Amino acid sequence: MLKDITFGQYFPGQSLLHRLDPRTKILLSLIFIVILFVAKTPIAFLLMILLTAVFVEMSKIPFGTIFKGIRAVLILLLFTAAINLFLTKGQGTPLLEFWVIKIYAEGIWRAVIMAVRVVLLILISGLFLTYTTTPIALTDGIESLLSPLKKIRIPVHEFAMMITIALRFIPTLIEETDRVISAQKARGADFSSGGLIKRARALIPILVPLLVSSIKHAEDLATAMECRCYRGGDGRTRMVKLTYRTRDFLMLLFVLAIGASVFVLNHYIPILLPDLYYF
Amino acid sequence: MNILELRDVSYTYNRGTPFEELALDSVSVGFEKGKITGIIGHTGSGKSTLTHLLNGLEKPSSGDVLLCGESIWEEPKKIAQIRFRIGLVMQYPEYQLFDETVRADIGFGPRNMGLDEDEIARRVDEAARFAGIAPELMDKSPFDLSGGQKRRAAIAGVLAMRPEILVLDEPAAGLDPRGRTEILGGLRDYQRSRNATILLVSHSMEDMARYCDNIVVMNQGRIYVTGTVSEVFARSEELQSVGLNVPEIARIANGLIRRGIPLSGDLYTVEGVRRAILSYVKGECEC
Ligand SMILES: Nc1ncnc2c1ncn2[C@@H]1O[C@H](COP(=O)(O)OP(=O)(O)OP(=O)(O)O)[C@@H](O)[C@H]1O
Ligand SMILES: [Mg+2]
């Protein structure tokens, strides 16, 4: 049933990655993405693959769970790889040639690099931002990182509050949908037969109660917030304060060092494909 | 005879995820035809899960649900037919109301059964009577009703299907004492007039004592005690050890028995205990 969708994919745990500050994890993901797109040498990519493997191992999250995320984009991945493989024109003679298809060494290299980039991107951002961070911690982190924007009057707090509330109600809504579906099924409702119109009509007994209860939730929440004198972000303190700890600094330093070495490698090791960026 | 039976049924929520939760643990229990059976247990003991399994809303992880000796999952395509025979009123059923009028909403179930309009109208009126819904409410929007009235409308929506077995998950929770007696009394009337079987989940031992023939006590996903009302209430210490209270009057009767006064009869209603004490006192005088 609907409830079997574990919301947000957060995977409870106590690993170092779980305990990092959400802001650190957001920054780490960004740095990682930059590194991935700056890297040009094979050694750099090997280094990144190794690093990702270490993080995956550290998080103690089952391999299968993490790779589910990749399965979702597998088609896209294969498609881009194929395009790179077949459409890249190299300088030397083609390695393989039949009919109109010519495959160059550069094509293979580019297809592999693109694939590695996308896979690592998904793995790392998934690992940092969804598997080891609760959605609420993530929005707190985003709010805190964006808070300088308050100076130019962007309502960062209200924005984060909206996201938090929306996230908070997703499980509730899923649970209620489940209950309403069950209740109407118990009254003999049939959602899976008949034509398009009949099926659309069959949704009414589910949508009406959900709409009614959503509006009621919104009203109740608004009242509850007013009763506790909620007046927006100004002067508001937090129950859970985000604090950077030593481990956050060490981790950032570590990944920055990796980034620096990738940058240096670009300059000192012959680059296989200078025009990697026409894409 | 057991019309409905669970055989070695287990049920796990969120199977195969880190949020796995064993809600029912090899439960075997039978429900007698034409009787009202109460299901009682501490919060989280698996009562609601049990009701969902009985109605075929959820499929047991292992084990079988038998209706008249046949597994209800024999032919999964026919499960809708089973649901018409075993009516389920879920916990807090108010949220299931959706139609424009109370009348139309109560008619939703019978309409799904494919009955003709005359029959639907007849059943809707009958169900509204059992559930105690005033005629002038029938053409109102269900969203304009009070909480208690919504509850009645939701119960009527299931009664209108005339199920031979009726499963109710705390139908009277959160209602005032008069509302409770009216709803539970209406259910008993329905049971008598149709010779139906009722399974009643409740937290109230007083209600159990008053309306039920048999009781099933659940604890942490297992059946703890089953038996007739007097059999179960005679074991008040065991019930208290799993956080349940027997009615005050049954506690008094049990206390008297422990102090050597042999009482017999219905020892869980005030009337029954009064009779037992009176006949004991009379017996004492005669010898
Ligand atoms: N949808 C669900 N997902 C996961 N676990 C659930 C779900 N529903 C119930 N549970 C768990 O199953 C167990 C039994 O729950 P159930 O709702 O059957 O209890 P109950 O006896 O009806 O309690 P109450 O008296 O509070 O209604 C509980 O431990 C609960 O946490
Ligand atoms: Mg329950």
Side-chain angles (χ1 to χ4, degrees):
Chain A
M1 293 242 41
L2 280 172
K3 243 177 255 145
D4 297 338
I5 307 165
T6 38
F7 168 65
Q9 309 285 316
Y10 174 66
F11 208 96
Q14 280 301 317
S15 75
L16 175 61
L17 292 195
H18 284 90
R19 282 178 294 148
L20 284 178
D21 188 286
R23 290 169 298 183
T24 313
K25 288 188 262 192
I26 296 172
L27 291 176
L28 284 178
S29 313
L30 291 177
I31 297 172
F32 226 93
I33 292 171
V34 172
I35 299 179
L36 273 179
F37 279 87
V38 167
K40 290 180 193 165
T41 59
I43 291 202
F45 281 105
L46 283 180
L47 195 65
M48 299 307 283
I49 292 175
L50 194 71
L51 197 61
T52 311
V54 170
F55 282 145
V56 169
E57 171 57 31
M58 231 158 75
S59 70
K60 300 263 179 347
I61 294 171
F63 225 56
T65 313
I66 295 185
F67 276 86
K68 243 188 253 157
I70 296 194
R71 224 185 304 148
V73 290
L74 197 63
I75 307 257
L76 189 73
L77 211 61
L78 289 178
F79 188 68
T80 15
I83 287 200
N84 277 310
L85 191 61
F86 296 135
L87 297 188
T88 308
K89 281 219 165 33
Q91 285 137 2
T93 47
L95 291 182
L96 207 73
E97 191 171 1
F98 57 90
W99 193 39
V100 292
I101 296 171
K102 295 192 183 80
I103 292 177
Y104 295 87
E106 287 93 334
I108 296 179
W109 169 242
R110 174 173 280 159
V112 169
I113 286 307
M114 255 349 250
V116 168
R117 267 189 189 147
V118 174
V119 169
L120 290 188
L121 198 101
I122 293 171
L123 283 182
I124 283 293
S125 55
L127 199 56
F128 281 148
L129 302 181
T130 59
Y131 292 119
T132 62
T133 316
T134 60
I136 301 293
L138 191 65
T139 28
D140 279 355
I142 294 176
E143 180 182 352
S144 166
L145 283 176
L146 292 184
S147 57
L149 292 182
K150 280 180 195 158
K151 295 254 158 47
I152 54 169
R153 304 219 176 172
I154 293 179
V156 174
H157 170 80
E158 281 70 14
F159 182 67
M161 186 57 116
M162 264 160 54
I163 298 182
T164 311
I165 291 175
L167 289 173
R168 152 71 185 78
F169 276 103
I170 287 176
T172 311
L173 215 59
I174 290 181
E175 196 185 313
E176 273 175 8
T177 313
D178 241 8
R179 285 208 312 186
V180 174
I181 290 180
S182 296
Q184 307 302 25
K185 262 198 205 155
R187 295 206 279 166
D190 175 13
F191 307 115
S192 52
S193 69
L196 198 63
I197 298 197
K198 185 161 174 276
R199 282 192 199 202
R201 282 187 64 89
L203 289 181
I204 294 177
I206 298 175
L207 293 182
V208 173
L210 280 182
L211 202 67
V212 170
S213 76
S214 300
I215 293 173
K216 191 161 163 8
H217 280 316
E219 276 177 357
D220 288 352
L221 186 67
T223 317
M225 284 168 85
E226 294 218 329
C227 287
R228 296 178 208 171
C229 305
Y230 178 77
R231 287 279 174 278
D234 294 337
R236 193 173 152 79
T237 54
R238 303 187 149 271
M239 187 164 98
V240 182
K241 268 206 160 41
L242 296 178
T243 38
Y244 289 113
R245 294 173 195 281
T246 322
R247 54 172 175 259
D248 293 298
F249 290 113
L250 288 181
M251 196 61 143
L252 276 171
L253 221 63
F254 173 63
V255 172
L256 280 175
I258 300 265
S261 44
V262 165
F263 198 71
V264 172
L265 283 176
N266 277 348
H267 284 274
Y268 290 98
I269 293 201
I271 293 164
L272 279 190
L273 198 68
D275 67 337
L276 203 56
Y277 295 104
Y278 91 76
F279 208 48
Chain B
M1 197 203 98
N2 287 340
I3 183 165
L4 193 58
E5 202 177 331
L6 295 181
R7 211 169 273 168
D8 214 13
V9 168
S10 299
Y11 187 79
T12 314
Y13 281 105
N14 301 317
R15 234 195 188 174
T17 72
F19 307 100
E20 225 176 60
E21 171 115 33
L22 181 66
L24 289 180
D25 186 4
S26 32
V27 167
S28 295
V29 65
F31 300 100
E32 267 181 89
K33 186 172 167 56
K35 294 279 165 71
I36 301 186
T37 304
I39 302 174
I40 197 162
H42 203 48
T43 228
S45 57
K47 306 181 296 294
S48 299
T49 311
L50 186 77
T51 62
H52 290 194
L53 288 168
L54 289 174
N55 177 265
L57 281 177
E58 230 82 56
K59 203 172 170 172
S61 307
S62 69
D64 244 335
V65 182
L66 307 176
L67 174 62
C68 303
E70 281 177 46
S71 168
I72 63 169
W73 288 101
E74 196 78 45
E75 283 178 81
K77 290 223 176 70
K78 293 231 174 105
I79 196 74
Q81 251 23 68
I82 302 283
R83 292 195 187 124
F84 294 133
R85 293 177 61 192
I86 310 175
L88 170 64
V89 177
M90 293 176 52
Q91 197 164 16
Y92 302 108
E94 296 83 286
Y95 57 80
Q96 72 180 34
L97 302 172
F98 72 96
D99 222 324
E100 279 168 52
T101 63
V102 175
R103 187 187 303 282
D105 202 282
I106 299 176
F108 181 67
R111 203 158 281 129
N112 286 331
M113 296 170 84
L115 303 172
D116 63 63
E117 287 301 318
D118 288 347
E119 180 66 16
I120 293 176
R122 224 180 355 262
R123 289 189 176 202
V124 168
D125 286 334
E126 179 200 83
R129 224 175 26 255
F130 280 125
I133 301 172
E136 64 269 21
L137 295 179
M138 294 297 279
D139 292 307
K140 272 191 157 185
S141 158
F143 300 109
D144 292 341
L145 302 182
S146 78
Q149 291 164 338
K150 279 186 191 158
R151 180 75 58 85
R152 287 161 197 250
I155 293 174
V158 174
L159 286 179
M161 299 193 294
R162 289 197 190 152
E164 47 191 293
I165 303 172
L166 187 58
V167 185
L168 301 113
D169 197 349
E170 304 202 30
L175 298 184
D176 62 307
R178 194 168 133 217
R180 296 181 80 87
T181 18
E182 280 177 13
I183 287 188
L184 296 173
L187 290 174
R188 188 166 53 188
D189 294 343
Y190 174 83
Q191 185 259 338
R192 286 189 181 148
S193 74
R194 308 215 71 84
N195 191 28
T197 308
I198 290 190
L199 313 185
L200 184 67
V201 174
S202 171
H203 273 137
S204 157
M205 281 292 187
E206 267 78 14
D207 287 349
M208 294 266 154
R210 231 162 117 192
Y211 295 98
C212 297
D213 304 302
N214 299 321
I215 293 187
V216 172
V217 182
M218 297 193 59
N219 185 39
Q220 299 188 342
R222 291 164 175 273
I223 303 291
Y224 189 67
V225 178
T226 63
T228 63
V229 175
S230 43
E231 280 166 11
V232 171
F233 284 162
R235 304 165 72 168
S236 60
E237 272 98 37
E238 283 165 74
L239 297 186
Q240 274 163 9
S241 73
V242 294
L244 297 171
N245 270 330
V246 298
E248 298 270 299
I249 195 70
R251 286 227 293 280
I252 293 176
N254 286 336
L256 288 173
I257 292 173
R258 252 204 322 276
R259 283 171 178 73
I261 299 173
L263 299 178
S264 61
D266 295 352
L267 296 179
Y268 43 88
T269 55
V270 176
E271 188 47 38
V273 173
R274 191 180 76 103
R275 242 180 288 129
I277 292 179
L278 282 179
S279 74
Y280 165 75
V281 172
K282 272 196 207 118
E284 194 93 306
C285 294
E286 276 161 19
C287 53

